[in-house]
Amino acid sequence: MITTFTANPSVDRSAALPGPLSRGAVLRLAEVHDEPGGKGVNVARVVTMAGVAATAVLPVGSEDPLHRLLDAAGVGYAEHRTAHPVRTNLTITEPDGTTTKLNEPGAPLRAEDVEALETLLLERATGSRWAALCGSLPPGAPTDWYARLVPRLRAAGVSVAVDTSDAPLLALAEAGPQAAPDLLKPNAEELTQLGGGDPEELEAAAAAGDLRPTVVSARRLLERGVGAVLTTLGGSGAVLVTAEGAWFGRAPKITVRSTVGAGDSALSGYLLGSLRGLPERDRVALAVAYGSAAAQLPGTGLPGPDHVDPAGVETSDIHL
């Protein structure tokens, strides 16, 4: 069982353009599609498609279209009813794979909502192998919410993965070793938020075969108590760093149709590899395979097992 927590879920509306986006013009959309959204919801969807039981814990409004979308996607969920419907995020994709996202801030939470969601998460996560805390936090949620949840979940015997950014990520790092998750999954931008540097330079270095900046930054997080760091590096692939070593999974050459959900799918691949008892090298291969598969799908599409080819991912040990 994997339990995911999405404090700021959404209805993800994807709109495909027949040509390039032109600001100020009137454009006709090729297609529009709605999916249940939020990073933790995405992880639960991918894991479920792989045949693993998953529960998405999230706040939902009483008359919310998200209910219908979750049911249609076959995602198991545990909800706390709130006073407002979830946000709607718009993703605009162009034929060459360029993706533009317009995200609403989210439905506000009250103090009683925060408390109820914490209780619900701990109830549902108990007995799970992993709890994945994913995404942004909505208005009204405490910035250090993930930092508060990690030690409570670990005390319940649950391994914790965190995928977030900006203020919640910084609060998690500042909380010290007691709030350090078993797995942190930053992308290049998020890794540089924690350790400094330029994310574009980090990705460019990885594309040129220089993985040292990524590994050094990840090892600093291990020194602060994090169990493992899986850094996704866009089209270059991903780097996994643990106390036992470091591994690189090189992404295969693909035609990118949309980058939405690629990072969530990579996290799902790692968690699935963990549940299967795979060695670290194979976990990073599965993570990259899932992330690459997501990038080949249009809009907000997410990959199932039939889309994924871990054998097509070149992996290597990193020795510094």
Side-chain angles (χ1 to χ4, degrees):
M1 169 70 79
I2 291 177
T3 301
T4 70
F5 181 57
T6 307
N8 203 10
S10 60
V11 171
D12 279 358
R13 179 163 297 161
S14 59
L17 290 171
L21 175 67
S22 177
R23 292 182 60 195
V26 176
L27 305 174
R28 297 189 182 277
L29 300 173
E31 58 179 297
V32 178
H33 190 61
D34 286 352
E35 296 279 359
K39 296 179 74 63
V41 171
N42 289 343
V43 171
R45 289 178 63 194
V46 174
V47 167
T48 299
M49 285 190 284
V52 173
T55 299
V57 176
L58 69 170
V60 186
S62 58
E63 300 294 332
D64 208 304
L66 186 60
H67 288 112
R68 173 181 54 82
L69 296 173
L70 288 167
D71 291 337
V75 178
Y77 60 96
E79 62 176 286
H80 166 67
R81 291 290 179 96
T82 59
H84 304 282
V86 303
R87 59 185 176 155
T88 297
N89 293 337
L90 176 61
T91 298
I92 302 172
T93 56
E94 301 172 54
D96 65 354
T98 300
T99 302
T100 303
K101 292 204 68 177
L102 304 173
N103 289 350
E104 296 181 11
L109 295 180
R110 302 164 298 179
E112 52 265 40
D113 295 321
V114 171
E115 182 178 353
L117 281 163
E118 286 190 17
T119 300
L120 181 61
L121 174 62
L122 289 164
E123 288 176 353
R124 292 307 180 105
T126 299
S128 296
R129 286 280 301 279
W130 282 95
L133 313 180
C134 303
S136 63
L137 296 178
T143 302
D144 65 346
W145 203 1
Y146 291 151
R148 287 167 28 181
L149 288 170
V150 169
R152 297 187 67 185
L153 288 162
R154 296 192 68 188
V158 183
S159 296
V160 184
V162 178
D163 181 5
T164 190
S165 61
D166 302 318
L169 178 63
L170 296 176
L172 184 72
E174 292 167 0
Q178 72 274 10
D182 298 277
L183 173 70
L184 189 65
K185 197 226 71 67
N187 57 25
E189 181 176 356
E190 291 152 1
L191 189 63
T192 56
Q193 285 178 359
L194 293 171
D198 182 279
E200 293 184 2
E201 292 179 2
L202 199 69
E203 289 194 7
D210 181 11
L211 302 170
R212 181 181 180 85
T214 300
V215 174
V216 169
S217 294
R219 284 180 174 166
R220 292 195 189 106
L221 297 175
L222 297 189
E223 293 170 358
R224 296 156 75 173
V226 176
V229 180
L230 176 67
T231 305
T232 50
L233 297 165
S236 298
V239 170
L240 174 64
V241 180
T242 73
E244 286 70 42
W247 300 265
F248 175 54
R250 185 182 301 278
K253 298 296 184 182
I254 62 171
T255 299
V256 176
R257 301 187 67 186
S258 172
T259 58
V260 176
D264 308 330
S265 298
L267 173 58
S268 302
Y270 177 93
L271 296 178
L272 290 169
S274 172
L275 292 180
R276 296 170 188 170
L278 299 182
E280 281 79 359
R281 177 194 285 264
D282 293 340
R283 293 185 196 185
V284 74
L286 195 58
V288 172
Y290 263 95
S292 297
Q296 295 179 79
L297 297 173
T300 55
L302 295 172
D306 293 344
H307 297 108
V308 177
D309 179 22
V313 178
E314 178 187 343
T315 58
S316 58
D317 294 353
I318 303 173
H319 302 287
L320 298 182

